[in-house]
Amino acid sequence: AMGGVPKCFLLSLALPETHTGKWLREFLGGLRRAAKQLGCALAGGDTTRRKDVLISVTVIGEVRTGRGVLRSGARPGDLIYVSGHLGEAELGLRLLRRRKGLAYRRDPLLRRHLYPVPRLALGRWLAENRLATAMMDISDGLSSDLPRLCAASGVGASVHAAKIPGVNPSTLPSSRGIHPLQLALHGGDDYELLFTISRRKAHQVPRSFHGLPLTAIGEITREHKLLLVEASGRKRTLRAGGWDPFRTSE
């Protein structure tokens, strides 16, 4: 359920002896900073030796009874919204790979990849005010996560390409092959919120929440199809092209 507040987390850590010095201190330091920022305390876990590094984090949170928002509540006619600008984390990853190091980690785009910000306040606000009918975060890319929300709700969707908020074209590398729409559709790790709102409540959704843009990009449909409406008006099937851990390389 979305709209909750993190309270504590469990950490299971397995690592080789070579990583018990500086690497471990830096890892725990970053984890401590994140936990302090979110007010989410370490409540327990386990540590063991292993030849490969294995990290498992389980977060426990709370949500008021009856206020949690699931993926399964979207209904035909609901408007589809996203927060922020999609594709920035993916662009940051591509820039990081080109620079082959962390010398530029103060770059805002690199920070979007290295230090993602969970939209906890927005999710809680949508849930507490009973605005969102369905909600999830975008971790694997809009083209992969929207089908999951639709499948859980037993609906389809129609999304307008021109309405999807993507990266600023001026921030794109000069080389060819990178398009803002492709980044927005298929780039992962943005952790922006994807949510649906009943049309009769759409007027209650502001254009921004504490400076974070909220954009209507389409609507939920009865037909179990996912369509992308291009600027020309042409409709085509929206195919999942985001992160899939089980996809085999061809």
Side-chain angles (χ1 to χ4, degrees):
M2 300 289 291
V5 179
K7 290 297 182 180
C8 62
F9 70 97
L10 305 174
L11 170 66
S12 293
L13 182 62
L15 67 166
E17 188 175 350
T18 55
H19 286 61
T20 57
K22 179 182 178 182
W23 184 93
L24 181 59
R25 289 193 299 272
E26 291 183 347
F27 168 75
L28 293 177
L31 194 64
R32 187 181 300 112
R33 288 191 296 273
K36 184 177 180 179
Q37 183 180 16
L38 298 173
C40 187
L42 175 61
D46 184 44
T47 304
T48 188
R49 179 184 300 204
R50 180 186 171 94
K51 65 178 181 179
D52 301 315
V53 175
L54 178 63
I55 304 168
S56 176
V57 177
T58 302
V59 179
I60 300 171
E62 293 180 349
V63 63
R64 199 141 61 107
T65 302
R67 297 297 174 90
V69 184
L70 306 178
R71 302 180 182 184
S72 54
R75 297 293 178 262
D78 287 356
L79 297 182
I80 303 169
Y81 283 78
V82 294
S83 65
H85 295 88
L86 307 184
E88 291 183 336
E90 172 67 19
L91 178 56
L93 174 60
R94 296 189 187 193
L95 293 176
L96 184 64
R97 285 173 171 167
R98 291 187 178 196
R99 296 173 182 179
K100 297 180 180 179
L102 302 181
Y104 300 91
R105 59 184 172 184
R106 292 191 178 185
D107 184 314
L109 289 173
L110 266 65
R111 291 188 64 83
R112 286 286 287 126
H113 172 71
L114 294 171
Y115 307 104
V117 179
R119 305 304 185 187
L120 298 176
L122 173 59
R124 187 177 182 185
W125 181 79
L126 290 167
E128 288 293 324
N129 288 280
R130 298 179 183 267
L131 290 176
T133 54
M135 181 164 45
M136 64 183 295
D137 65 2
I138 302 175
S139 57
D140 295 336
L142 179 65
S143 68
S144 291
D145 287 325
L146 179 58
R148 292 165 182 155
L149 185 148
C150 289
S153 296
V155 296
S158 177
V159 175
H160 294 267
K163 295 182 178 180
I164 299 174
V167 301
N168 187 331
S170 67
T171 63
L172 292 173
S174 57
S175 61
R176 302 175 183 176
I178 301 180
H179 191 279
L181 179 60
Q182 297 305 310
L183 290 173
L185 287 175
H186 311 309
D189 292 336
D190 280 313
Y191 296 103
E192 295 294 352
L193 293 190
L194 168 65
F195 56 97
T196 55
I197 303 285
S198 170
R199 282 187 179 274
R200 62 185 177 83
K201 291 188 176 183
H203 68 280
Q204 299 181 44
V205 181
R207 291 185 178 181
S208 65
F209 178 83
H210 295 177
L212 179 67
L214 306 180
T215 308
I217 63 171
E219 69 177 50
I220 295 296
T221 61
R222 291 187 182 279
E223 293 187 3
H224 295 189
K225 297 180 180 178
L226 277 82
L227 299 177
L228 181 69
V229 183
E230 299 178 343
S232 63
R234 175 176 173 266
K235 297 180 180 179
R236 62 181 174 90
T237 301
L238 176 61
R239 302 194 182 282
W243 168 250
D244 180 355
F246 299 105
R247 180 184 296 134
T248 56
S249 57
E250 297 180 0

